[in-house]
Amino acid sequence: MVSKGPVTMFLCLLFGDFTRGASTQQAFRVEPDNITVLEGAVALLQCVVDNPSGVIQWVKDGLLLGPDTNIPGFPRYSMMGDPSKGEWHHLRIVGSRLADDGEYECQAGRSEESPGIVSHMALLSVLVPPKTPAFKEYEANSTVTWVAGMEYKVTCSVEDAKPAAEISFSKGGSPLPDVSHQVHSGSNEKLSSTVAVLRVTPQSLDNGKRLVCAATNEAVSASVVAGFTMNILFPPQPPTIEGYKRPEIKAGETLKLTCISLSGNPLATLQWLKNGNVVSTSWETEDVSGASRSLLTLSIKPEDNGAQLHCEAMNQVSPLPLVASVTLRVVFLPTEVSIVGSSSTPENKQISLSCSTTPSNPPVQLRWWLGWRELTTTEVTVTEAAHGGTVTVSNLTHVARREENGLPLTCEAFSEVMLFTRSTSLPLSVQYPPQKVWIEAPPPDSQFRAGTKVRLTCFASGGNPAPRLVWIKDTKSLKEGTQVASGKIVSKELILTTSPSDNLAIYRCNASNGGKSPALTAQTRLHVQFPPIDVKITTMAKEVRRGQTLTLTCITGSSNPFATLAWFKDAEKLKGVDLGQKPAEFGGLSTSGKVTLVVSSSDNGLRVTCQAYSSILAEAVNTFYKLNILYPPEFSSKQPAVAQGVEHGAVELPLHVSANPPELSCSWSFRGEVLKPEGSPRHHLRAGGSLAIWNLSRADMGQYRARCQNPEGQNETHLHLDVHYAPSIRSLGDPVYVDLGATAELVCIADANPTPAGMFQWTWLGTEERSLEELELEPEASGAVGRLRIRGARQAQAGLYECRVDNGLPPQARGSARLIVRFKPEIEKGMGLGKVAMPGDGSSPVTLQCRAQGVPSVKFSWEKNGAALHPDNPRYTERTWHEGAWHSSTLTIANVSAMHDYATFTCRASNALGTDKLDIQLLSTSPPEPPTGLKVVSVTHNSATLEWIPGFDGGLPQRFRIRYHWPGTPSALYMDVFPAQTPAFTLMGLSPATPYSIGVSAYNTLGESTQGPSITITTAELPLEEPPVVEPEVSQTEAPSWPPALTGGLSALGALLLFSNAALLTCLLRQHQTRAGVQEEAKERRKPSAGNDYSSGEAVNPAAWQTLLDSYSERSAPSGGSSMGTWPGYVPSHEYQPRLPPHPKRAVGETDASTTGHLSMEGLVPGWLRGTPEDLRPGGRYPTPWGR
């Protein structure tokens, strides 16, 4: 900080002048006072000097700030006030900061009339509010978990405040004592930081409360706070058990017990234990009531008698589990009564049985029953069992009689106290032997064909247990059949499927029941007819070669009756020799015969069949002998002459060869060289002699020879391999040059096999997708050569073309070639490109732009009024660049002067084929040119949508005005287009079936264009409306009548109010419109502009476009945004359809239903603001509701 003493002394000496008269001396009327402001607020240090004649400035901490109103280097400092009152010396500081805190003086410098003066020192104190408090140990706005009864430390700090912040703590809204504070320096020497420490011991009642740290100082009216929520952990209350009310419970019942533990944070976890073992760990918590509940459901069993049930409750802060207990007393009955011992015995023998129960509590009694008679020859004992129960046992002895056979022998357990009974029974079985046995079978002289089913049934009566029946064939026992009992008779049925071995066989049935008596038996014999059991073919020859003679002998097995023989070779019947019959097994006969034949290689593998036929049974048995004919290799007629493969793939050259023995030795040769597959990575010999070739190449195409041999001889054949391969492009000319209108050809030469038709495809690789038909190009192909012919070359055909070759084998071959069409330069021209407007006051530059296309490259030159511009002239700057197909050049003119620069500038674009030029007039700003191309987009019964092309805007933003009239009107009506500069508009409120003459003009702040083109339209007929629905008449209560005098008075008062409102609104709108129009016109005339806004699709001079954007943004800047945002009622142009005033022909009060829902000023703005006849326009201005 600069010391103010020497500076003040120096200023006094410098500015002092004691020779001036007292009447002209400078003096302070108001000197600055000490002030205090909040950080960010506006500080105002007042200083008023009477008779000021010297330089007045402020001093901050000894630093002179200077006399400028906007103080350099201090953008937030300024001097303000009324100069005529000497008040322009007040020092105003915006957005006060801590750096502004200091000492200030107001000084008036020495002048010829008065010496310099210095005010007394004023202090500016900037207050800085405290920052949000921060916790050291915890995070603000979090939940902090503590344990009840333990002490915790909370440190809260507040940084950088002026003056130092005061910190306090509260818990649940209640302040907390015992807070220690410490204040130390902040990040700046003028700032202070405060640290407060709180020690707190939370209790269970503090759970869920919020602990808050609050900071305050003189800079804030309300405390700045931060806090966190306390989550206090404390143990639950001891649990209780509900649901066990009776002293005893029966086994089989369901017991439901509920364990409840209240309070605790977190709520208690519960678990059930039975006899020390955990049986349930599930529980539910109720946050509202603050309780934990666990339901234990037990299906009571006898072993639960005397069981201890415990419910334990605890949480993470419980030192030990809290327990509640109950002891179960269970009453249970025996679940089973069982008899041990055999109830089967021979007649007149004694049986011994034992009856016992499972454990019960209390014990039960036992008794025996035989049928309905109680047996008393018993002995009963009672013993202790598990789980506090007892077991009862009763032993019985009894002598069995034949008449007691089948009676139930029952042991009954009962308890008179518990009203319980349960029993079990066994049937008494008394044993004695069977009485008779017999067989039901077919008559003895019956004949059966082999395979026929025959039923044999054996019966036996009497005996206990029921006799066991066994079937025996000759001497072999049979297991077939199921024994069935019916009363005192048992039977066993044997169902036979007769076979040759059953012929003359003896079937016997034995019946016994295991006693000492011998088995009873019965028997029968069967007669069976059967074909030969088997047929065999034998021969004496060991090897047979083609052309030799072979003799085969056939012998049949036993048959009844005998069979005759027949010979066949495949479907061919052979003539054989019969060798007669001889006896065989099972009482049948065997037949034999032979056949002789000469064999060939084609007979190899064929079957010679011997058929043994029985005429009585009409059944034959066959066998065959497979011919094994030895012969050298022979190639099949199916052997192919050509094989095909794909390059880089694999192919197998098939070999259809046969030989016997089949073990062949085959070799392959290619172009006279024998191939050796052994160890070859590409050639592999397959089973059967086929040759596999891997990783084919086009060099593998050609004739292959296969030679095979076996011990019988050798043979050979030939096969041609055709290798297909994917296409590749051998050559493709790039680039191809052609003059505009000439003929050219793109040639693509490929290498491929095969070469199908349509193999070549051409594609234009331009930015837009276009077909060859659209480009008028002719693709041609011949074999491996594809051509794309261009006749009468055009600029649109220039570009990159792709030749794609696809013969069906991937990958496709692709190549690209560029067609370059050479043509002389063509400069972009159009409305708006030939004129640029700019004020000629020498204060603004302008840029003229010229774009051209041409091949080869285009060179630019500029002229002014036909004379070439000198390249060293500093006022003209040329720049040339290339973007895509366009070449561009700009000419920038510095400080446009009306005298020197209002001229015609010519841009010339040249190459080897020619030259093109564009004249650009640099003009002064002027009224716009009239629009062109007015057309009707759509017409309805009450509206018409129009479009037009804007003309040159004269260098200023232009707006458009619609002029329309219809037959019978004295003059035309006008409607300004909104939004401004929009080249489209919808006229609303027109009358149906009415002709209208419509025109459009343009205007800017310098004037209006001449009337543009006009068109005539006729609106459509009014659409038919549905007839109104007639509501039924409803009687209404008669309205009260008003006195005539009162009615007239109210009417007059209403008319007076309406008239006064309309007059007031008219005056306000006129004043607002006039003021806005004058201000806008003055503003627009002060701002240079050299551009215009054109509809989409129309070329615009880039220089004019840039000027338009600049001027547009300048006009929009004061309002804080674009011009569209300055009107509160703005809607997008495609949605905005302002409603016109009613047509004069329409009756008063008549409305158009079709216009409802559109934006309408009707009823809000006087009619002269919506559409004004020509003869009523004031001063050539066209007022609108928006003040233009």
Side-chain angles (χ1 to χ4, degrees):
M1 179 181 296
V2 180
S3 175
K4 64 173 183 161
V7 175
T8 305
M9 180 67 69
F10 172 75
L11 293 174
C12 290
L13 294 176
L14 177 65
F15 298 140
D17 186 359
F18 304 102
T19 62
R20 305 297 179 190
S23 61
T24 60
Q25 295 295 309
Q26 302 178 118
F28 288 107
R29 189 197 319 162
V30 177
E31 294 189 61
D33 292 331
N34 296 339
I35 62 173
T36 300
V37 298
L38 295 178
E39 185 179 33
V42 177
L44 183 64
L45 295 169
Q46 296 185 350
C47 178
V48 180
V49 180
D50 288 336
N51 302 320
S53 58
V55 175
I56 298 177
Q57 59 181 332
W58 284 82
V59 178
K60 176 182 182 298
D61 292 333
L63 176 66
L64 294 172
L65 300 182
D68 291 344
T69 303
N70 295 320
I71 299 175
F74 294 82
R76 296 180 293 105
Y77 289 24
S78 62
M79 288 195 292
M80 58 177 291
D82 188 351
S84 63
K85 299 179 181 180
E87 295 179 353
W88 62 281
H89 315 308
H90 300 333
L91 178 62
R92 183 172 184 265
I93 303 176
V94 179
S96 299
R97 301 176 184 173
L98 190 61
D100 303 326
D101 191 280
E103 301 174 347
Y104 293 82
E105 295 176 345
C106 179
Q107 298 182 356
R110 183 178 61 186
S111 66
E112 295 179 357
E113 293 81 7
S114 173
I117 59 175
V118 180
S119 73
H120 63 253
M121 185 182 302
L123 296 179
L124 171 62
S125 179
V126 179
L127 301 183
V128 179
K131 305 291 188 299
T132 301
F135 293 102
K136 177 181 179 182
E137 298 87 354
Y138 310 105
E139 182 179 352
N141 298 322
S142 65
T143 299
V144 176
T145 301
W146 288 340
V147 178
M150 296 183 64
E151 184 180 84
Y152 294 91
K153 175 183 176 182
V154 180
T155 303
C156 180
S157 61
V158 178
E159 304 293 335
D160 294 343
K162 181 185 177 188
E166 297 181 0
I167 298 178
S168 62
F169 288 91
S170 64
K171 179 176 66 177
S174 301
L176 295 175
D178 302 330
V179 180
S180 61
H181 297 79
Q182 182 178 358
V183 179
H184 55 85
S185 298
S187 61
N188 186 289
E189 62 181 2
K190 297 181 180 181
L191 299 177
S192 300
S193 298
T194 306
V195 178
V197 179
L198 169 71
R199 294 191 176 273
V200 59
T201 302
Q203 304 299 325
S204 61
L205 295 178
D206 296 330
N207 184 42
K209 293 183 179 179
R210 184 173 176 83
L211 192 146
V212 175
C213 173
T216 183
N217 68 358
E218 298 175 9
V220 293
S221 58
S223 299
V224 181
V225 299
F228 55 82
T229 302
M230 295 182 292
N231 179 35
I232 310 301
L233 305 182
F234 57 92
Q237 298 180 8
T240 59
I241 297 177
E242 299 178 354
Y244 190 67
K245 300 179 180 179
R246 296 179 298 169
E248 295 179 347
I249 186 169
K250 292 183 179 181
E253 293 184 347
T254 299
L255 177 64
K256 294 184 177 180
L257 301 179
T258 303
C259 179
I260 303 175
S261 176
L262 302 177
S263 188
N265 183 32
L267 295 177
T269 63
L270 304 178
Q271 70 173 1
W272 286 91
L273 295 89
K274 185 172 77 171
N275 296 332
N277 298 319
V278 177
V279 294
S280 175
T281 57
S282 63
W283 76 96
E284 297 179 352
T285 58
E286 299 176 358
D287 294 335
V288 177
S289 61
S292 296
R293 298 177 184 271
S294 178
L295 176 64
L296 178 65
T297 303
L298 291 177
S299 179
I300 300 301
K301 301 178 182 178
E303 51 265 29
D304 294 329
N305 185 34
Q308 294 285 331
L309 293 179
H310 302 279
C311 176
E312 295 183 350
M314 67 179 301
N315 66 5
Q316 63 191 64
V317 294
S318 301
L320 293 172
L322 304 174
V323 182
S325 304
V326 295
T327 301
L328 300 181
R329 178 170 176 76
V330 181
V331 175
F332 55 94
L333 299 172
T335 57
E336 292 183 5
V337 178
S338 58
I339 298 176
V340 179
S342 175
S343 62
S344 177
T345 183
E347 58 183 339
N348 301 323
K349 298 291 183 179
Q350 181 176 284
I351 61 172
S352 297
L353 299 173
S354 177
C355 178
S356 62
T357 67
T358 55
S360 65
N361 181 29
V364 297
Q365 296 176 306
L366 296 176
R367 57 188 172 191
W368 291 88
W369 301 86
L370 180 60
W372 299 104
R373 178 167 59 95
E374 183 176 0
L375 303 179
T376 58
T377 56
T378 61
E379 181 182 351
V380 179
T381 59
V382 178
T383 59
E384 294 183 357
H387 313 299
T390 58
V391 174
T392 304
V393 179
S394 176
N395 297 320
L396 170 69
T397 58
H398 178 68
V399 177
R401 303 284 184 262
R402 177 181 291 194
E403 58 271 15
E404 296 174 346
N405 180 52
L407 293 178
L409 185 60
T410 304
C411 175
E412 179 185 15
F414 66 96
S415 173
E416 296 178 352
V417 177
M418 301 177 62
L419 301 178
F420 165 76
T421 179
R422 177 168 291 171
S423 62
T424 185
S425 299
L426 292 176
L428 180 61
S429 177
V430 181
Q431 302 171 1
Y432 55 93
Q435 305 300 311
K436 180 181 178 182
V437 63
W438 70 96
I439 295 176
E440 286 186 359
D445 56 350
S446 299
Q447 296 284 338
F448 299 98
R449 181 172 178 172
T452 302
K453 289 187 176 181
V454 176
R455 186 188 307 273
L456 302 178
T457 306
C458 178
F459 294 91
S461 61
N464 184 42
R468 176 174 175 269
L469 304 180
V470 177
W471 281 99
I472 301 172
K473 177 183 177 182
D474 292 336
T475 59
K476 181 180 179 182
S477 297
L478 304 178
K479 298 181 180 181
E480 290 84 351
T482 301
Q483 184 167 308
V484 178
S486 178
K488 297 293 184 177
I489 299 176
V490 295
S491 63
K492 187 173 186 180
E493 185 178 71
L494 179 64
I495 299 177
L496 302 174
T497 299
T498 57
S499 65
S501 64
D502 293 326
N503 186 38
L504 303 180
I506 296 175
Y507 283 86
R508 185 173 67 255
C509 177
N510 290 346
S512 64
N513 63 356
K516 296 182 179 180
S517 301
L520 300 180
T521 184
Q523 69 179 26
T524 185
R525 187 188 296 267
L526 300 179
H527 298 276
V528 180
Q529 294 177 333
F530 55 92
I533 296 174
D534 58 11
V535 180
K536 296 180 180 179
I537 298 178
T538 61
T539 181
M540 299 298 294
K542 294 182 179 180
E543 291 183 352
V544 181
R545 290 179 173 81
R546 60 183 178 182
Q548 293 182 349
T549 299
L550 175 65
T551 299
L552 302 176
T553 301
C554 180
I555 302 174
T556 70
S558 178
S559 65
N560 180 28
F562 71 89
T564 59
L565 300 180
W567 292 89
F568 300 90
K569 186 176 71 173
D570 282 354
E572 178 186 359
K573 187 173 182 180
L574 304 178
K575 183 178 181 181
V577 177
D578 187 7
L579 300 180
Q581 294 82 29
K582 63 179 180 179
E585 60 183 343
F586 309 129
L589 297 173
S590 174
T591 302
S592 60
K594 66 178 182 178
V595 68
T596 301
L597 63 161
V598 178
V599 297
S600 65
S601 61
S602 61
D603 292 330
N604 185 52
L606 297 183
R607 296 181 177 184
V608 177
T609 302
C610 175
Q611 182 184 82
Y613 179 73
S614 175
S615 59
I616 294 176
L617 300 177
E619 186 174 348
V621 179
N622 300 284
T623 189
F624 68 88
Y625 176 84
K626 186 175 181 180
L627 297 177
N628 182 26
I629 311 302
L630 302 179
Y631 62 95
E634 294 181 0
F635 294 99
S636 170
S637 59
K638 297 180 181 180
Q639 173 67 33
V642 178
Q644 289 183 348
V646 179
E647 190 173 32
H648 306 303
V651 69
E652 183 171 330
L653 305 184
L655 199 61
H656 300 286
V657 62
S658 62
N660 195 20
E663 293 77 14
L664 293 173
S665 173
C666 295
S667 63
W668 289 82
S669 60
F670 177 58
R671 296 177 181 173
E673 182 180 353
V674 176
L675 302 178
K676 297 179 179 180
E678 296 81 4
S680 172
R682 296 181 58 242
H683 299 90
H684 303 273
L685 197 60
R686 302 297 189 195
S690 297
L691 178 65
I693 305 176
W694 293 356
N695 194 18
L696 278 175
S697 69
R698 60 198 72 182
D700 293 324
M701 284 194 298
Q703 191 81 4
Y704 288 78
R705 184 189 69 181
R707 176 175 295 172
C708 299
Q709 64 180 9
N710 71 351
E712 299 297 319
Q714 67 176 12
N715 201 353
E716 67 179 30
T717 187
H718 295 82
L719 188 145
H720 180 78
L721 175 61
D722 183 21
V723 179
H724 290 186
Y725 50 89
S728 62
I729 297 179
R730 290 185 176 179
S731 67
L732 178 60
D734 180 40
V736 175
Y737 292 92
V738 61
D739 290 340
L740 190 68
T743 299
E745 196 176 70
L746 299 179
V747 180
C748 182
I749 302 176
D751 180 17
N753 183 32
T755 56
M759 183 173 68
F760 290 92
Q761 295 181 357
W762 293 87
T763 306
W764 186 59
L765 301 181
T767 56
E768 299 179 359
E769 184 176 348
R770 300 173 66 184
S771 64
L772 298 182
E773 291 77 9
E774 293 174 334
L775 294 170
E776 299 180 2
L777 302 179
E778 303 173 5
E780 299 178 357
S782 176
V785 179
R787 291 179 172 85
L788 185 64
R789 194 178 304 277
I790 301 98
R791 301 181 188 275
R794 308 191 311 274
Q795 295 181 28
Q797 295 171 331
L800 191 64
Y801 289 83
E802 180 185 68
C803 172
R804 186 169 67 253
V805 186
D806 183 6
N807 66 345
L809 297 177
Q812 300 176 353
R814 297 173 182 264
S816 59
R818 184 174 301 277
L819 177 65
I820 299 177
V821 180
R822 294 178 294 200
F823 59 96
K824 71 176 185 177
E826 296 177 358
I827 296 179
E828 179 183 25
K829 301 173 183 178
M831 184 175 297
L833 295 177
K835 294 181 180 180
V836 175
M838 175 64 66
D841 54 4
S843 62
S844 301
V846 68
T847 299
L848 310 181
Q849 181 166 341
C850 181
R851 293 205 317 161
Q853 286 182 316
V855 177
S857 298
V858 175
K859 295 182 179 179
F860 291 94
S861 63
W862 289 86
E863 300 174 359
K864 177 182 176 182
N865 291 332
L869 296 179
H870 197 282
D872 297 331
N873 191 331
R875 298 188 64 251
Y876 301 109
T877 303
E878 294 184 30
R879 177 174 172 263
T880 303
W881 71 94
H882 175 72
E883 292 180 359
W886 287 94
H887 302 264
S888 300
S889 177
T890 59
L891 176 64
T892 301
I893 305 171
N895 303 326
V896 174
S897 168
M899 180 179 296
H900 298 94
D901 298 319
Y902 283 172
T904 299
F905 291 84
T906 302
C907 169
R908 292 187 182 273
S910 305
N911 67 5
L913 300 181
T915 302
D916 195 9
K917 71 174 184 175
L918 171 65
D919 291 335
I920 303 175
Q921 295 181 6
L922 180 56
L923 309 170
S924 176
T925 53
S926 62
E929 296 179 355
T932 60
L934 178 63
K935 65 178 180 179
V936 178
V937 177
S938 63
V939 177
T940 67
H941 69 282
N942 66 340
S943 68
T945 300
L946 310 172
E947 285 184 356
W948 58 88
I949 300 175
F952 180 59
D953 60 0
L956 296 172
Q958 65 177 341
R959 298 174 180 175
F960 303 103
R961 180 172 292 123
I962 303 295
R963 177 182 182 274
Y964 66 102
H965 66 87
W966 59 94
T969 56
S971 59
L973 293 183
Y974 289 80
M975 173 59 66
D976 284 354
V977 173
F978 186 87
Q981 303 178 3
T982 302
F985 192 72
T986 300
L987 284 172
M988 301 294 294
L990 305 182
S991 294
T994 302
Y996 287 87
S997 177
I998 302 175
V1000 62
S1001 61
Y1003 65 94
N1004 60 17
T1005 56
L1006 297 182
E1008 184 175 2
S1009 71
T1010 60
Q1011 184 65 38
S1014 63
I1015 58 175
T1016 300
I1017 66 166
T1018 300
T1019 54
E1021 297 286 345
L1022 182 67
L1024 296 177
E1025 298 182 356
E1026 296 183 1
V1029 179
V1030 179
E1031 300 290 343
E1033 294 185 359
V1034 181
S1035 61
Q1036 300 179 355
T1037 305
E1038 183 177 353
S1041 60
W1042 296 88
L1046 180 59
T1047 302
L1050 292 176
S1051 301
L1053 179 60
L1056 179 61
L1057 289 175
L1058 290 175
F1059 178 78
S1060 62
N1061 287 337
L1064 177 60
L1065 178 59
T1066 301
C1067 293
L1068 291 176
L1069 289 175
R1070 284 181 180 273
Q1071 293 176 3
H1072 171 72
Q1073 180 183 10
T1074 304
R1075 187 184 304 112
V1078 172
Q1079 292 176 355
E1080 183 175 356
E1081 183 173 0
K1083 185 194 308 179
E1084 297 294 346
R1085 287 184 176 179
R1086 288 197 303 269
K1087 296 180 181 179
S1089 174
N1092 207 337
D1093 191 1
Y1094 296 94
S1095 62
S1096 59
E1098 182 179 356
V1100 179
N1101 189 311
W1105 179 278
Q1106 183 62 41
T1107 307
L1108 167 65
L1109 295 179
D1110 295 340
S1111 62
Y1112 187 79
S1113 62
E1114 290 175 5
R1115 291 193 300 275
S1116 304
S1119 63
S1122 66
S1123 61
M1124 291 189 293
T1126 61
W1127 180 51
Y1130 168 75
V1131 294
S1133 60
H1134 65 278
E1135 297 177 1
Y1136 174 66
Q1137 295 177 330
R1139 186 173 178 180
L1140 297 177
H1143 196 285
K1145 290 183 179 180
R1146 189 174 296 139
V1148 176
E1150 181 182 354
T1151 60
D1152 190 347
S1154 64
T1155 62
T1156 59
H1158 293 286
L1159 179 63
S1160 174
M1161 301 300 293
E1162 194 172 314
L1164 300 177
V1165 182
W1168 62 269
L1169 292 176
R1170 296 192 299 271
T1172 307
E1174 283 182 319
D1175 54 355
L1176 297 180
R1177 286 181 286 167
R1181 295 293 296 166
Y1182 298 86
T1184 66
W1186 302 281
R1188 293 197 297 274

